[in-house]
Each structure stands twice: as C-alpha cells, then as structure tokens.
Amino acid sequence: MSRDDTPDTRLRPTNETYGRFQQVYELYNKRLFDDALPNCLITLQRRRRSYGYFCGDRFGREDGKTTDEIALNPSHFRDRPLTEVLATLAHEMVHLWQHHHGTPGRGRYHNREWADKMKVVGLQPTDTGEEGGKETGDSVHHLVVPDGSFERLTKSIIAKGFAIRWKERPRIAPAGAEEAAESATTAKEKKSGKRIRYLCSHDDCGQKAWAKHDANLICGDHMAAMVPSPSET
C-alpha cells in the first residue's frame, strides 16, 4: 500500500458531518424559531427527486421517548449552493415547528399556516420555484428572501467558516448504464408532459429556469449546465 493510500485514522467524518448540521440546527432554532423546537434526528437519505423531508415521531427509544426526523439528500450537496442546502434544512424545520406548535395539512399538503411561518423565517414559498407561484399545495418549493432573516443569518454562518466537508464523489457508471437510465427516465417523463425546474450546476449560483424534461439549458452567468431540480417535502 502506498503512503497516499494509507487510511488516516484521525478522520472523524461522522462528527464532521452530523455535528455541523446539529450546530446549524441549534442556531436556526435559537434565531429563527425562538428556541421553540425540540432537537430531532438529522439523517442523510437519498430519496429520489427530493432535497429533503420531515417525518414526525419517526424514531423511538426503549424508554418510550420519541424524536422527529429531518432528512437531507447528500446526492445534491455537490451540485447545489450551500445556502440552498441550508434552506432545505430550514424548510423542514418549519414542518417540525408546525408538527409541535401548529396544525399540519393533510398528507403532504403545505397549508397557509406553514406558508406564513416560512415567510417569518425568511423563505418565500412557491409551488413553481419562481416568484409569483402559489404559496400552498402538495408540492411547494421556496425562494430565499433577499436580506431576510434566513439569508442574513446564513451568510453569517458561512462567513465564519461553515462548510459541508464531506460530499459524495462522482460515480463512474458502467458503459451504457447512463444512456439506459436516461432513456427510461425520458420515456416516463414524456408521458407526463409537465415542465420541470432546472438549477445551475455551479456551486455558488442560484439561477433557475422552467422547461420541458429534455431541455438542454446553459447558465449564461457561469456557462455551466443546468440540471433538473428535485423538491423538498
């Protein structure tokens, strides 16, 4: 084994990943939610077409105590701006707040109470991912309100050095696998006829666009490809 391949036993990837998200959670709780939220279990889950989700009382202990889950999708840590990743965390924290202090909508429905709280913390709900979209519905995204509470706090967090240290490495698919998957996805999406949201693949860009499923879009600011956007639930 070469020296470069020798494992570094000093690395603590779990602490560096989950510990940092816990610190941000606690800071958001204090500054955006007036310390009204209980701690939850933050997990990394690769749910397809989702940036993250909330599930109330998902985990339990032998003594009968329960805790909620906020899941973040690590598959998108590399291709999304850090502010957007943390906005997903705050989005799901609003669901957690409503679970404990409000009246959640049925199923996946994002109701008026949820939408109003989103705006209080500095996130503008929109079902299209663009300005002017409906604030309620089964599938609702958000925009970061310029100079709002969330953006100001998050800029401060990033300025002090917060970063996601561990990100998924790009995987090299077997020959033909990517083409086969793309063909299957295209066939399925053609049936729906719906437009989908695209995001710039550049780390620090929040450029968005809506287009048909097979659009070939380029961000003019960074000359980078725009990729289909999952959602938060």
Side-chain angles (χ1 to χ4, degrees):
M1 178 180 288
S2 68
R3 181 175 180 179
D4 289 343
D5 293 331
T6 303
D8 187 344
T9 58
R10 297 168 300 176
L11 294 177
R12 296 291 185 271
T14 299
N15 290 343
E16 290 181 16
T17 301
Y18 290 94
R20 285 171 174 263
F21 279 124
Q22 176 65 30
Q23 290 173 358
V24 174
Y25 179 95
E26 291 176 4
L27 188 55
Y28 282 172
N29 185 18
K30 180 179 181 180
R31 300 280 295 276
L32 301 178
F33 295 89
D34 297 323
D35 263 338
L37 307 184
N39 279 309
C40 69
L41 185 56
I42 298 173
T43 66
L44 302 184
Q45 304 286 349
R46 296 178 185 83
R47 177 180 285 186
R48 188 181 178 189
R49 295 188 178 278
S50 175
Y51 286 139
Y53 63 81
F54 166 76
C55 188
D57 305 311
R58 185 66 177 269
F59 290 87
R61 225 164 52 175
E62 290 182 356
D63 61 3
K65 296 185 181 299
T66 62
T67 192
D68 312 306
E69 176 188 23
I70 286 180
L72 301 174
N73 191 338
S75 298
H76 300 286
F77 288 175
R78 182 178 294 276
D79 60 23
R80 297 182 75 202
L82 181 54
T83 298
E84 292 291 341
V85 174
L86 296 181
T88 294
L89 174 61
H91 176 124
E92 305 308 335
M93 289 176 71
V94 175
H95 283 296
L96 189 151
W97 168 86
Q98 190 177 42
H99 176 70
H100 290 279
H101 301 288
T103 306
R106 48 107 183 113
R108 294 180 55 193
Y109 189 77
H110 300 68
N111 61 20
R112 172 51 52 191
E113 179 185 62
W114 174 86
D116 288 343
K117 187 64 173 179
M118 284 281 284
K119 290 186 285 187
V120 168
V121 304
L123 298 174
Q124 173 60 46
T126 166
D127 69 336
T128 63
E130 301 294 333
E131 292 183 9
K134 289 178 58 180
E135 296 181 346
T136 61
D138 286 319
S139 180
V140 182
H141 304 280
H142 60 254
L143 298 172
V144 175
V145 176
D147 200 35
S149 299
F150 170 82
E151 185 179 65
R152 291 196 302 270
L153 178 56
T154 301
K155 283 183 175 179
S156 172
I157 292 171
I158 295 174
K160 291 178 181 177
F162 176 85
I164 298 175
R165 295 288 180 84
W166 295 91
K167 300 177 182 179
E168 288 190 358
R169 301 173 64 189
R171 291 190 296 176
I172 301 176
E178 183 175 344
E179 290 80 2
E182 182 177 349
S183 177
T185 300
T186 299
K188 181 178 180 180
E189 291 179 338
K190 277 184 176 180
K191 296 179 181 179
S192 70
K194 295 181 179 179
R195 295 195 308 158
I196 61 176
R197 186 173 68 155
Y198 290 78
L199 293 176
C200 175
S201 57
H202 191 277
D203 284 347
D204 299 318
C205 183
Q207 190 70 260
K208 306 179 183 69
W210 281 79
K212 58 184 181 179
H213 70 276
D214 57 352
N216 184 15
L217 304 181
I218 298 292
C219 172
D221 290 339
H222 296 97
M223 298 308 295
M226 300 190 74
V227 297
S229 164
S231 63
E232 293 92 355
T233 58

